[in-house]
Amino acid sequence: MADASDFLTRGREVAGKLWGTRAGGQELPAQRLAPEFFALVTQFVFGGFWARPELDMRSRSLCTVAQLAALGRTDELKAHLAGALNLGISRAELIEVLMQTACYAGVPAAVQALNAGADVLK
Amino acid sequence: MADASDFLTRGREVAGKLWGTRAGGQELPAQRLAPEFFALVTQFVFGGFWARPELDMRSRSLCTVAQLAALGRTDELKAHLAGALNLGISRAELIEVLMQTACYAGVPAAVQALNAGADVLK
Amino acid sequence: MADASDFLTRGREVAGKLWGTRAGGQELPAQRLAPEFFALVTQFVFGGFWARPELDMRSRSLCTVAQLAALGRTDELKAHLAGALNLGISRAELIEVLMQTACYAGVPAAVQALNAGADVLK
Amino acid sequence: MADASDFLTRGREVAGKLWGTRAGGQELPAQRLAPEFFALVTQFVFGGFWARPELDMRSRSLCTVAQLAALGRTDELKAHLAGALNLGISRAELIEVLMQTACYAGVPAAVQALNAGADVLK
Amino acid sequence: MADASDFLTRGREVAGKLWGTRAGGQELPAQRLAPEFFALVTQFVFGGFWARPELDMRSRSLCTVAQLAALGRTDELKAHLAGALNLGISRAELIEVLMQTACYAGVPAAVQALNAGADVLK
Amino acid sequence: MADASDFLTRGREVAGKLWGTRAGGQELPAQRLAPEFFALVTQFVFGGFWARPELDMRSRSLCTVAQLAALGRTDELKAHLAGALNLGISRAELIEVLMQTACYAGVPAAVQALNAGADVLK
């Protein structure tokens, strides 16, 4: 079993592929309020799940974009659309994922996602 | 612009790739109650969105599974897990998509999705 | 301002129009666990909101069915579909409300609602 | 079965009754990003569902407002509140629909909907 | 059974403990649009539920903060974080409740809650 | 920083306080399908969040019950109601948490939670 420093190392590696060494962009108010939370997230989300070899990163990125669009999480959606572009997923593919959200989460969810993505994808 | 018979033709073609000519398995109570609804869905969901060439079917299938898991739609999830296997997506990849749902929709959503998928994926 | 016995009197009157003197059908496990909860609900939901004269009961019933379908609350949905029929709303109108749910909450929400409503509406 | 030009024609007719020839107000970022999406929505949502004769437009409008309030879709809610006023539904009726949302989706959903509706309904 | 003036009296007493005589801070657009709604909420939410002696106010406050964070209701969350501080719950405890939201509603829900709470809790 | 074996050790300790050495009851289909998922959950949810000393376990348990009720996660809700009783939280307190859910997530969410909890709490 991996030890925790492995989780952190692997998590930072995954985040670096998505967003470079900046690892996610400008500092959020939440990061000043609860810095330990973000260390846990890097370990668990990126080191514990994303770093597993059973699924390629392109597929993980598309699925993440799809879920964030369906759940209406626009801030994370913007960050992961930028990450998806960094992985080489095309603008047209990402627009298509956001459009298809209408089928499973309703038209307003897709409109909200397309509005959120407009700056990143234009 | 496509006419409606195109929507239907293309929609049936997509559904056939996912589920064969049965197109989705056993008849639901909803299908007896509102048969016209399902004709509209075939036209719009599969003919209007899935049939567009901008995104490959593997990616559409993974994104659909991811969204249904995040939204807790277990009946559709089972149907689309079966469809994903028919497209050649592996059992291990699908389990991984369901697991990663924990990060974005919470652990209980992932557990519910894994429970729902157990019959289809084992 | 109404006193609490008014809330209860008016709430029971509204519930009686929806479901007769049975006021909602068979006893739920929740009713044995927390009987005071249901007295509060009768006062507040039916006495405090539904009893207000600013909107007719047909419209309140349709809006309630629409919201329960969108939110995936199938037990309440069944009860309110039965109530809607008691108010004289037609079976065809109610099926249409459930179908339209696909536009705003996604196709799976509509399918779930139509499945839930099949027994009451057939 | 209707052909696709029928869907579009009927969809535009419905949207025109709700919002006039402007069909929904100012251009959204999403409309520049994915113009084909909105053509599909006009065909499917308005041409495929709203245009069906089984339910009157007043009832469809009230149910849509109710669902958007319950789901917290404030941008679409504002647009559909304006559409509902155009159909002749009164300001007092619409406030009542938003208030009743508290019963089925919780008090915060109703407060959010009333805040979103304040500009349109005052 | 309590009469309605009891509900109102007890509701105002609870709200006063959370927010002082201001009872909730600056006036919302919703309060001008639907003042009767807020009188009903005071009676029912605070007078009908919170005022019951079966659960202490600290626990009610923590549970409310937890639910608002999980449901993404940021405006109410801010108000109830302020109320929780007024009851003597510590800043560190509240940050911990928001962090734990990641487990049950997903990481983006926790980030949104921590961002919303940053002003109140810093 | 803790290493991963610490996460696991502390996570098992927390789970043991909630459910004894059985750690959660009967095996789920999900546990056979994805056993590694549950190891990750023990490390992250219980070892990473619950084990932190900033909030007492009674408060964590109440907040978890509140969130699961609000989100409609009935399987986890039952497990955590049993855990809460093991921590010494009373049956009456837990019923009260479930009742109050009506205010923030709507009456149907509370009814569903009370129905789910009836077996554990009676």
Side-chain angles (χ1 to χ4, degrees), chain E:
Chain E
M1 174 164 292
D3 69 25
S5 60
D6 285 350
F7 280 135
L8 196 59
T9 303
R10 290 184 305 186
R12 283 180 177 154
E13 196 178 332
V14 169
K17 286 178 188 162
L18 286 166
W19 299 299
T21 52
R22 290 180 316 128
Q26 85 286 9
E27 200 183 46
L28 300 165
Q31 287 171 299
R32 283 188 297 277
L33 187 70
E36 297 172 38
F37 177 76
F38 291 87
L40 285 168
V41 166
T42 301
Q43 285 174 281
F44 295 170
V45 171
F46 294 114
F49 288 90
W50 278 67
R52 290 167 55 89
E54 283 81 359
L55 185 66
D56 62 290
M57 271 193 76
R58 174 192 154 87
S59 298
R60 289 192 187 275
S61 176
L62 286 169
C63 289
T64 300
V65 165
Q67 291 189 329
L68 294 171
L71 296 168
R73 304 293 183 190
T74 53
D75 288 340
E76 260 87 4
L77 178 59
K78 288 178 193 177
H80 274 281
L81 286 170
L85 292 173
N86 289 339
L87 294 179
I89 301 174
S90 77
R91 183 183 161 285
E93 288 174 310
L94 292 167
I95 291 173
E96 207 67 25
V97 171
L98 303 186
M99 284 174 59
Q100 189 172 309
T101 301
C103 304
Y104 301 105
V107 169
V111 174
Q112 181 181 328
L114 288 163
N115 276 330
D119 276 345
V120 185
L121 296 177
K122 75 186 171 192

Side-chain angles (χ1 to χ4, degrees), chain C residues 21-82:
Chain C
T21 52
R22 290 179 317 127
Q26 86 285 10
E27 200 183 45
L28 300 165
Q31 287 171 299
R32 283 188 297 278
L33 186 70
E36 296 172 38
F37 177 75
F38 290 86
L40 284 168
V41 166
T42 301
Q43 285 174 281
F44 295 167
V45 171
F46 294 115
F49 288 91
W50 279 67
R52 289 167 56 88
E54 282 81 359
L55 185 66
D56 61 290
M57 270 193 77
R58 173 192 155 88
S59 298
R60 289 192 186 275
S61 176
L62 286 169
C63 289
T64 300
V65 164
Q67 291 189 329
L68 295 171
L71 296 168
R73 303 292 183 191
T74 52
D75 288 339
E76 260 87 4
L77 178 58
K78 288 178 194 177
H80 274 282
L81 286 170

Side-chain angles (χ1 to χ4, degrees), chain A residues 4-30:
Chain A
S5 61
D6 284 350
F7 280 135
L8 196 60
T9 303
R10 290 184 304 185
R12 283 180 178 153
E13 196 178 332
V14 170
K17 286 179 188 162
L18 286 167
W19 299 299
T21 52
R22 290 180 318 127
Q26 85 287 8
E27 200 183 46
L28 300 165

Side-chain angles (χ1 to χ4, degrees), chain D residues 21-57:
Chain D
T21 51
R22 289 180 318 128
Q26 86 286 8
E27 201 183 45
L28 300 165
Q31 287 171 298
R32 282 187 298 277
L33 186 70
E36 297 172 39
F37 177 75
F38 291 88
L40 284 167
V41 166
T42 301
Q43 284 174 281
F44 295 169
V45 171
F46 294 115
F49 288 91
W50 278 67
R52 290 166 57 88
E54 283 81 359
L55 185 67
D56 62 289
M57 272 193 75

